[in-house]
Amino acid sequence: MQAFTKVSNELQSLLETVHHIRKMEKGTYLFQEGSKAKELFVVINGKIQMSKMIPDGRELTLRMASAGDLIGELSLFCSAQTHMQNAKVIESGEVAVIFKNDLEKKLGEDHAIALEFMRWMSQEHRKSQTKFRDLVLHGKKGALYSTLIRLSNSYGIHTDAGIIINTSLTNQELANFCGTSREVVNRLLSELRKADIISIDKGIITIHDLDYIKLEIDCENCPIDICNIE
């Protein structure tokens, strides 16, 4: 199945053993934080926003899941039978449904595939850790700047004018990625525009000086497979 190209050949054969395919509609939730976790999902097409509510009621967007991504995996081999994140559909599509107990059983039976699965999970964990590092070390500015870098790696088109982020995001959506308010993002973006670091036209951001943004948050130039928004 074409959707599983983001994982290794060893894992593809495992993940292709799905129970059924489910359609998902934009604006609905595949699952919500605290709901029963009996299934995992592999995105075939469409996009899903993975997020978590933080104590003050704001939403922190952790990643955007697209074709080939596994979601719901945090409940694997966990005594807690509930989901730890929200999975909101932002672009209609389909997901392959895998029952959690079936996958756990197969991983337990094949140690080679289990090891490969652990390596894949470790990389996903590293993505999250680098995002939280920027937030902790550099606060709200670091969260926004690292989000811009990740967006440029995922959707950036290099032109003479700069790097065009070829996806339209509202300031509220950017704020969700940063775990902050829209007002804070408005102010930070305005500062970058005044300094001619970025420009914005109809919701499309062009980064004119990516090196400046990287320098401001002591960017470690992680590989693109780690530093992305997906």
Side-chain angles (χ1 to χ4, degrees), residues 118-178:
M118 288 172 63
R119 290 189 180 124
W120 179 78
M121 286 282 290
S122 177
Q123 177 162 303
E124 294 301 305
H125 178 67
R126 185 180 171 194
K127 288 181 184 180
S128 297
Q129 289 300 103
T130 55
K131 181 172 182 177
F132 288 130
R133 175 201 63 200
D134 294 334
L135 179 58
V136 170
L137 293 181
H138 300 284
K140 296 167 183 176
K141 183 176 83 169
L144 176 62
Y145 284 19
S146 69
T147 297
L148 291 174
I149 294 170
R150 292 168 192 276
L151 285 168
S152 73
N153 287 336
S154 294
Y155 302 110
I157 298 174
H158 291 259
T159 70
D160 291 339
I163 303 173
I164 300 173
I165 298 176
N166 192 31
T167 186
S168 180
L169 290 171
T170 67
N171 286 6
Q172 183 59 61
E173 288 170 331
L174 280 174
N176 290 346
F177 274 112
C178 304

Side-chain angles (χ1 to χ4, degrees), residues 168-206:
S168 180
L169 290 171
T170 67
N171 286 6
Q172 183 59 61
E173 288 170 331
L174 280 174
N176 290 346
F177 274 112
C178 304
T180 188
S181 67
R182 187 178 46 135
E183 290 73 21
V184 168
V185 166
N186 290 346
R187 175 175 57 79
L188 292 171
L189 289 176
S190 178
E191 291 172 358
L192 288 173
R193 292 175 74 174
K194 287 178 181 177
D196 202 29
I197 304 300
I198 68 168
S199 58
I200 305 174
D201 182 25
K202 298 178 181 177
I204 300 295
I205 298 174
T206 300

Side-chain angles (χ1 to χ4, degrees), residues 23-79:
K23 292 187 179 296
M24 53 182 190
E25 299 295 329
K26 180 179 178 179
T28 62
Y29 283 88
L30 200 56
F31 56 80
Q32 290 182 277
E33 189 174 348
S35 62
K36 292 291 183 181
K38 296 180 180 179
E39 303 163 327
L40 292 88
F41 307 90
V42 181
V43 183
I44 297 175
N45 49 63
K47 286 186 180 179
I48 298 174
Q49 173 186 287
M50 303 303 299
S51 65
K52 189 172 182 66
M53 299 304 294
I54 51 183
D56 63 5
R58 285 176 293 158
E59 183 178 23
L60 174 61
T61 299
L62 299 170
R63 65 182 174 116
M64 302 296 289
S66 56
D69 285 327
L70 177 68
I71 60 175
E73 74 283 0
L74 295 180
S75 65
L76 274 176
F77 299 107
C78 182
S79 57

